Amino acid sequence: GENVEQHPSTLSVQEGDSAVIKCTYSDSASNYFPWYKQELGKRPQLIIDIRSNVGEKKDQRIAVTLNKTAKHFSLHITETQPEDSAVYFCAASPYSSASKIIFGSGTRLSIRP
Amino acid sequence: ETGVTQTPRHLVMGMTNKKSLKCEQHLGHNAMYWYKQSAKKPLELMFVYSLEERVENNSVPSRFSPECPNSSHLFLHLHTLQPEDSALYLCASSQDPVGNSPLHFGNGTRLTVT
């Protein structure tokens, strides 16, 4: 079946450094790629998303890049801060159906002071 | 403040019990979802409702029974569960039941089956 691979599963970076999380997907019909952040004991929240007609999108310290040919997309967090510590999930879905969204297994990001 | 509210936050039940999870969204969205979140596994979609009609059931065992009485409320009725059903159950809503409509999640119900 279709799947989304997410790496790494855990990531520890020094405060102020950058963090990169990568995902690959298998369904060539996918054209919407959201990223969700889930802090400990809280709900997942959308932090950024990208559509297939765009190669890169940036929002302050967060950016996402998409390579549709290679079927991979990445989340970049610059100047990391303690509040960036959380689990991050990537996902991929076709526009046509919300029931076909597939999530990655998550990356636990820890920011070292 | 949250646009999607779930109750209870925690639930412990025996395998012979019957219980229900409740979800309410205050965002005026047209689609609601139940997801299962288990440790170190991707979020698993269980059910999708669009304007109170079920549009997807991802091969979920019949011991899980959803109910959507209106576009703002969603229930998950539980009966004769198994220990492996212990997980965080997340409700979500989106503007429309299409793939590029962002999901808004509730805080979840942490379910433990003993």
Side-chain angles (χ1 to χ4, degrees):
Chain A
E2 308 296 352
N3 73 320
V4 173
E5 299 275 348
Q6 183 171 346
H7 298 281
S9 56
T10 59
L11 178 60
S12 178
V13 301
Q14 193 74 35
E15 183 177 350
D17 288 351
S18 295
V20 181
I21 302 170
K22 299 182 179 181
C23 290
T24 58
Y25 61 97
S26 58
D27 185 0
S28 56
S30 296
N31 42 26
Y32 175 65
F33 307 92
W35 286 87
Y36 290 86
K37 174 184 179 183
Q38 186 175 26
E39 296 178 54
L40 189 63
K42 297 190 176 180
R43 77 185 91 99
Q45 290 188 287
L46 180 75
I47 54 171
I48 195 167
D49 56 14
I50 191 168
R51 287 162 170 77
S52 60
N53 58 343
V54 175
E56 183 174 357
K57 183 177 178 181
K58 202 170 181 180
D59 182 3
Q60 299 182 349
R61 297 186 296 109
I62 294 173
V64 57
T65 58
L66 171 65
N67 183 328
K68 236 190 159 232
T69 304
K71 294 185 186 173
H72 64 72
F73 56 112
S74 300
L75 178 71
H76 305 253
I77 306 174
T78 59
E79 301 171 24
T80 52
Q81 300 170 4
E83 55 264 35
D84 295 329
S85 294
V87 178
Y88 292 81
F89 295 94
C90 64
S93 77
Y95 286 164
S96 59
S97 173
S99 62
K100 291 182 168 47
I101 186 169
I102 298 175
F103 283 86
S105 54
T107 296
R108 182 172 299 280
L109 174 63
S110 301
I111 307 302
R112 303 191 302 271
Chain B
E1 183 273 329
T2 174
V4 180
T5 305
Q6 286 187 247
T7 55
R9 289 298 305 274
H10 302 272
L11 179 62
V12 179
M13 60 186 288
M15 297 197 310
T16 58
N17 290 159
K18 288 185 180 180
K19 296 286 184 184
S20 296
L21 309 185
K22 180 183 175 182
C23 177
E24 184 175 0
Q25 60 100 358
H26 310 274
L27 300 168
H29 287 170
N30 296 317
M32 296 187 76
Y33 311 78
W34 281 115
Y35 277 90
K36 178 182 180 182
Q37 186 174 35
S38 305
K40 298 184 180 176
K41 289 178 69 175
L43 283 164
E44 300 172 53
L45 178 64
M46 301 174 72
F47 301 103
V48 181
Y49 275 84
S50 172
L51 296 172
E52 304 148 44
E53 296 289 326
R54 189 191 306 182
V55 298
E56 190 76 23
N57 171 359
N58 275 4
S59 303
V60 178
S62 60
R63 57 186 184 267
F64 295 91
S65 175
E67 178 190 0
C68 188
N70 56 61
S71 59
S72 298
H73 293 85
L74 186 65
F75 295 89
L76 188 62
H77 304 300
L78 317 171
H79 63 99
T80 59
L81 294 192
Q82 304 299 310
E84 60 264 28
D85 296 322
S86 298
L88 181 68
Y89 288 84
L90 289 164
C91 174
S93 69
S94 65
Q95 183 63 54
D96 297 295
V98 293
N100 63 339
S101 191
L103 296 169
H104 296 253
F105 288 92
N107 282 321
T109 294
R110 173 70 61 187
L111 174 66
T112 303
V113 181
T114 62

